[in-house]
Amino acid sequence: MSLISIPLLIAMVCCLLMCAWVGLSEHQNNKAKSFFVMMMLGFAFVLGEMAVYHFAQYGTGLEARTINGYVVILSVPLSAAIPIFFYLYLKSALRLDSDFNRTDALHLIIPFIYLLLMLPFSTLEIAEKIAFYGKVYHSQTIPWPLSMTPTRFTRLA
């Protein structure tokens, strides 16, 4: 395990504790609480992905790479949704709007698109996922259903 994994895991645990604290408090309306919890879960999964990535890179076991493959499936759509959840949280907290509207659902199209893009990657076995990342990092050709798979490099786009 690398030294950077330890503070990343501590930050992830802090995010999860904040999710639990906000989820159990009664200071906000339910819509604002749910969007804040989803935003913090997105942060926690991104931090967890970075920690597990470094753990998998320095670890020799197959378990670390298996965990990395599963964490990436959840962290990609949630990391794309962090700004959306932040906007919806601010909108519902400032307007004190506690009802979920159709326009709120339209904002969630982007994370669902990322989730659909992750389906070909999600169906791969762990050895195929490791081979996929090896091809991506060595700039080799990859199959076309996986060419749109969001990796850490394409998420920023």
Side-chain angles (χ1 to χ4, degrees):
M1 181 183 319
S2 70
L3 288 177
I4 193 71
S5 294
I6 296 168
L8 287 172
L9 288 173
I10 291 170
M12 183 185 79
V13 169
C14 289
C15 283
L16 294 174
L17 288 175
M18 189 180 295
C19 287
W21 181 63
V22 168
L24 296 175
S25 72
E26 296 181 9
H27 294 289
Q28 280 285 355
N29 59 25
N30 289 332
K31 181 179 170 184
K33 281 195 311 188
S34 63
F35 285 134
F36 184 80
V37 167
M38 290 303 293
M39 179 182 65
M40 292 309 291
L41 281 177
F43 278 126
F45 270 101
V46 169
L47 291 170
E49 177 195 350
M50 289 189 288
V52 170
Y53 172 76
H54 289 290
F55 180 69
Q57 201 167 18
Y58 293 106
T60 58
L62 186 63
E63 294 86 14
R65 294 195 173 142
T66 305
I67 292 170
N68 188 26
Y70 291 124
V71 169
V72 166
I73 292 169
L74 291 173
S75 71
V76 169
L78 283 175
S79 67
I82 289 172
I84 296 164
F85 288 135
F86 180 68
Y87 168 74
L88 292 173
Y89 163 70
L90 282 180
K91 184 176 134 182
S92 62
L94 293 177
R95 292 185 185 171
L96 299 175
D97 183 19
S98 61
D99 296 330
F100 192 78
N101 305 328
R102 284 189 316 168
T103 57
D104 296 335
L106 291 177
H107 289 90
L108 299 175
I109 289 175
I110 294 172
F112 286 125
I113 289 173
Y114 268 86
L115 194 61
L116 288 175
L117 287 174
M118 288 301 293
L119 284 179
F121 179 78
S122 302
T123 58
L124 294 177
E125 296 293 326
I126 190 64
E128 294 170 335
K129 289 178 186 177
I130 294 169
F132 167 74
Y133 279 122
K135 289 179 182 178
V136 167
Y137 291 125
H138 294 1
S139 300
Q140 296 175 354
T141 57
I142 53 176
W144 71 268
L146 295 173
S147 63
M148 291 300 293
T149 301
T151 59
R152 188 175 299 161
F153 306 114
T154 59
R155 257 186 265 177
L156 295 175

